[in-house]
Amino acid sequence: MEKFVDPYQQEFYNKYGVRTDLAIEAHEVIVEREGPPELPGVIVHNEETEHATISRVTVETDVGARLIGKAPGNYSTIDAPALRGHNREIHEELGVLVAKEIQWFIEQHQLGPEDTVLVVGLGNWNATPDALGPKVVGELMVTRHLIEFSPPELRKGLRPIAAIAPGVLGLTGIETGEIIRGIVGQIEAKAVFCIDALASRSVNRLGSTIQIADTGIHPGSGVGNKRMAINEETLGIPVFAIGVPTVVHASTIVSDALDIIGGEDPEQTQRAQELPQKTTFNLDPQSIMGSQAQKQSQPPVTAEQKRYMVAQVLEPYMGSMIVTPKDIDELIDDVTNVIAGGLNTAFHESVDYSEIFQYLS
Amino acid sequence: MEKFVDPYQQEFYNKYGVRTDLAIEAHEVIVEREGPPELPGVIVHNEETEHATISRVTVETDVGARLIGKAPGNYSTIDAPALRGHNREIHEELGVLVAKEIQWFIEQHQLGPEDTVLVVGLGNWNATPDALGPKVVGELMVTRHLIEFSPPELRKGLRPIAAIAPGVLGLTGIETGEIIRGIVGQIEAKAVFCIDALASRSVNRLGSTIQIADTGIHPGSGVGNKRMAINEETLGIPVFAIGVPTVVHASTIVSDALDIIGGEDPEQTQRAQELPQKTTFNLDPQSIMGSQAQKQSQPPVTAEQKRYMVAQVLEPYMGSMIVTPKDIDELIDDVTNVIAGGLNTAFHESVDYSEIFQYLS
Amino acid sequence: MEKFVDPYQQEFYNKYGVRTDLAIEAHEVIVEREGPPELPGVIVHNEETEHATISRVTVETDVGARLIGKAPGNYSTIDAPALRGHNREIHEELGVLVAKEIQWFIEQHQLGPEDTVLVVGLGNWNATPDALGPKVVGELMVTRHLIEFSPPELRKGLRPIAAIAPGVLGLTGIETGEIIRGIVGQIEAKAVFCIDALASRSVNRLGSTIQIADTGIHPGSGVGNKRMAINEETLGIPVFAIGVPTVVHASTIVSDALDIIGGEDPEQTQRAQELPQKTTFNLDPQSIMGSQAQKQSQPPVTAEQKRYMVAQVLEPYMGSMIVTPKDIDELIDDVTNVIAGGLNTAFHESVDYSEIFQYLS
Amino acid sequence: MEKFVDPYQQEFYNKYGVRTDLAIEAHEVIVEREGPPELPGVIVHNEETEHATISRVTVETDVGARLIGKAPGNYSTIDAPALRGHNREIHEELGVLVAKEIQWFIEQHQLGPEDTVLVVGLGNWNATPDALGPKVVGELMVTRHLIEFSPPELRKGLRPIAAIAPGVLGLTGIETGEIIRGIVGQIEAKAVFCIDALASRSVNRLGSTIQIADTGIHPGSGVGNKRMAINEETLGIPVFAIGVPTVVHASTIVSDALDIIGGEDPEQTQRAQELPQKTTFNLDPQSIMGSQAQKQSQPPVTAEQKRYMVAQVLEPYMGSMIVTPKDIDELIDDVTNVIAGGLNTAFHESVDYSEIFQYLS
């Protein structure tokens, strides 16, 4: 949940004023602002299951990457509002979906069944919404130390898995990328999976969207310092990132509010016309929001104005205020089970999934 | 941090659209909206120390109570931005201030030096921003069980203190007020101190304001059910509430944003004209915000519109989204030390303060 | 895990020098020392299932109570070494067994299906081996607050369950019995279930034995003070205690060692003659332990000598040293799931067990 | 607290049947068994302060190392029963003592004031008695990431400190030594400090003895596998180990008991003759223990017998049973503050100690 900014994301932000860790949200923004696009070099494929929508965004070219604000590579998004329920059976099904996606990524990168994998839980275990990574690591079937000393005939299908939750830069004084690079070198890992809590653009993705990507992670540039990326370029092996939004930056919320009143967000305006029918309150959007004409007569808010107004609401904490659901602790626990279940299944092919879920307490 | 609504607060909310647990904020709202008031039946007294401003609001009459939206009684507010720093010495000084205020309340209610006091840590220890009450209870010098079996000559100045952090309704199935009433009856307590995390109206009070009041606590009416107040009326003994804002409701933040653009908040508008000089950015408020005239031409946002727009930004979590600083865990730890230090000092008069701070790890 | 001493237990201890919270262990001691007994007024009934032995000890008369060192009442013991494995399926089966035993107790005491039950998690959540009670409470389906506001037609089979983990005397300054009595009065509970970590006499019961009894709990007399029992006599309603041994007092371990060398423990001596054949080490008990004759020539260790020698090994911590397995944290988590699952099933008859286990994360 | 066995320790164990992580205890064993020694190549120097005894054992030669069962190097032991009290002032004084010893080690190894140091918290944060290392790391002033980006003139006296608590082999699948070696390579550390919970031989050292050594750490050989040492040989830079005993192996306790009754432990026997005068019980050791003659007539217990009898008491948990004080959680917190305070002071020479203790909450 440290702010991840890569150069592509920065260019996208400058253009649209939106900061999101999710490729699918970036794509949505473009659709909202510019209509259904034909983004050259970006392929989007959707699939529906009973409890989830799976979107696979492939960014094939650098042109596409700059348009969508995401580095070239593959981005799978599992969107499952049911993740927020407490139904264990549905969670198990979602775990299977996650496992399938992970296996697809493993195949794409031709990882062998006995190649060592290092799983890294990013984030800070002291801060509930940022503890997802360390919690997932706590539920993993770690096997590398067992396999090393087993006879070869028993190792079949049990992949050597190592795992660490190193803690954030403020606690260790070491770039997470440095720690990972050091360990990767020692254990000769063939791939890294990073698990992390993300920030999304919209509250309704919190705890209900899982993104898997093979483009690694770009820790945010803080006070002018360049921070080390965690990707194939810096580590020399594929880096998969699994992320779930657990917070929205407070500045995003405020900015959204300003957009609504400014009438700048077509999706919101459209929702304003649709939603009332679904709600139990008897609201007529026309009478509530005033006519479209009225709104358009308002002078549009400039990006500079917006930044200034956001600062007014959020001072003195500005950049560091986050928005979470009150029950974030339960949400994190549920998501942890789904992702850990998915990883355990994907990593240990010959192991039966129900057995694995039993392994998790 | 369960939403506390008493009838006075409801009336105030209906009038001003502002929900705050702090008397001082309610007073500020009135000043903002209606100019410096002479509120009949409300006495405000301020005092400055090196690191804090202490405001004592006394609501003397029911008329005053309805104007300010707070039950008749005393409200002391210690406003100390330095609480957010990590300076242990300043924290000790603030602990002494808190102790003094508590002692003032104890004297007002003529509590004897050997009267048993029950301290109740309200809130949910699983949710970081709501864990303040339970954490304070964990740092208290609990003495009742020791005194009961000590020879009378040793009991001098050591007040019988009992403490409990019962957990929230969702975890216990029991109204917190019922639990307290049951225990008060058993141990013949002469007063109750409730410690609780509050919601404030503004982010800049988070972790920096401590409110002490003798009017008890009114848990929020949830789904139509009346919840039991925790006050002198229901318990038969004085109930003091010590609260510190640790969250702002996300709806408040969004609402503030809407106010700013709507130009409804004179304080904010004024700030907009003042602040830029202080910042390093070269901002001309006139050019950023547009002229006052321009803004006033905008059709004002009605309360209904506002509620609708807030819902759009925060769905599907609406009522349960909270805004906190990222480092809320450290902030809670610091505030815990100050309040526990203050209580320990105030309760055990003959005990030296520095000794007590040493007792706390 | 506070030391529980009732008058019966004290008399038993004076006679046999053994302190145990388990009726089944007390019975074993008598068998060991005095041969297979016909204890008047004590009925023992055993039952075998695939993964557990269930023993029901009924103490019918005061004479029997004094012989076995346990108050008159019913004691069910589920002995399941598989509890220590991490097999989720077996844990679910054991949860069903626990539920059945609880239902048997509920029937014995003619508790109606809609009678309110208060579950109390005894013990200290800060100390891993003593955290069982609070952890079980954290996994309960608490329903009282829901039922109160539901229409009667929906309440069918959903018993009003309230729950609390009040913390130990040292943290609250209040006798746990006082807290419970206060709450029972407020919510008009018809029965209390206390969950607690116990001390056993033998390490091989740790985490593998569950005792359910209807005789309540007798907190240990500490420094000369009489502590309040938690039972039907003090509360006016049935008090069921569910306990699992998580520690052995270090003094018991030392004492056992002294017994072995003193040849005082026939069971141990017998084991010494049997075990070696089962082990992989080639040990001849005769040559290892010396002949029986040799041992009997040793002057027997008196109780006074034993106490003195135990003190030597354990000073300066003497009474407060406990013995636990290194992986006590995992063991507590497993047992928590089994007991919480059992309680949830037993309390909510119409609710399907597999659904309930899904409810638990 | 993983069992650390180096070749020297193994040889010592074979000879004396005693396993201890503390050089000072090893020395005591030799004194007990063989009388006041002149161990060639081993220099012992003692110093008394108000609250502590400081012993410095220097093992100069390989002969000495084999005699005392400790690798050649320096071992400082701070023995402070007051560490077990909760007096903050004394804890601060002990922190200063720890800082002085650490500085002595730093000087011995000619570490420059701006050389980067990596602090490693060994052990498992889920198991209270093994959490010392991770907890100390949590209280450190970590500075490496700050210094890297500060202007050189501000870096004076602020040493680059990095820190990590990697977790145990069972959780990571990676040898702790491998993780450290990987990180040391990345950050070019000039020394490593390992913080760890130890096992001692005697309960009265628990939480009251701090050992600092420059000989690194030898994780125990488990099931036949050789584990990687963490020392200058494997890392190429000095490795300092700071350890505090928090557990006694249950087998040690049982073994001690057997020794007492066997009369094999001269120290114990001597104590048996001295202690009674100090206790409030009126015990005559002669009459309690029997005459020395009587005891010597007993056939001595062989090592094989002893192992067998220990197994009887501790099965089925045998090797994994540990003995701790009940209040181990508080003890760990106190020791954490003392060691973290000591490290922070020693590392940042120009920083005032009282300021640093204030930095710790």
Side-chain angles (χ1 to χ4, degrees), chain D residues 141-274:
Chain D
M141 288 177 61
V142 168
T143 52
R144 178 175 171 269
H145 59 307
L146 304 174
I147 290 168
E148 210 159 71
F149 303 105
S150 308
E153 64 274 20
L154 291 182
R155 301 183 190 178
K156 226 29 191 128
L158 208 65
R159 183 190 293 282
I161 299 297
I164 194 161
V168 291
L169 178 60
L171 295 178
T172 62
I174 316 170
E175 287 273 6
T176 306
E178 291 177 302
I179 295 173
I180 300 175
R181 188 163 56 192
I183 296 172
V184 162
Q186 292 290 317
I187 68 172
E188 296 177 16
K190 294 288 182 289
V192 168
F193 277 79
C194 291
I195 320 299
D196 197 22
L198 305 179
S200 72
R201 197 193 147 218
S202 136
V203 294
N204 63 44
R205 286 201 182 276
L206 295 184
S208 71
T209 294
I210 299 169
Q211 175 176 277
I212 309 171
D214 54 9
T215 53
I217 271 176
H218 297 258
S221 55
V223 222
N225 57 317
K226 271 222 188 128
R227 295 194 44 195
M228 178 189 164
I230 305 169
N231 58 21
E232 187 153 4
E233 200 184 318
T234 58
L235 297 185
I237 53 176
V239 177
F240 306 100
I242 303 182
V244 176
T246 63
V247 302
V248 176
H249 289 295
S251 55
T252 302
I253 297 275
V254 174
S255 176
D256 278 3
L258 298 175
D259 285 347
I260 288 175
I261 205 169
E264 285 203 338
D265 179 347
E267 189 211 26
Q268 298 286 6
T269 308
Q270 197 193 335
R271 273 210 244 150
Q273 288 160 349
E274 287 169 2

Side-chain angles (χ1 to χ4, degrees), chain A residues 53-64:
Chain A
T53 306
I54 302 167
S55 307
R56 291 188 197 88
V57 176
T58 300
V59 180
E60 289 190 316
T61 64
D62 200 67
V63 171

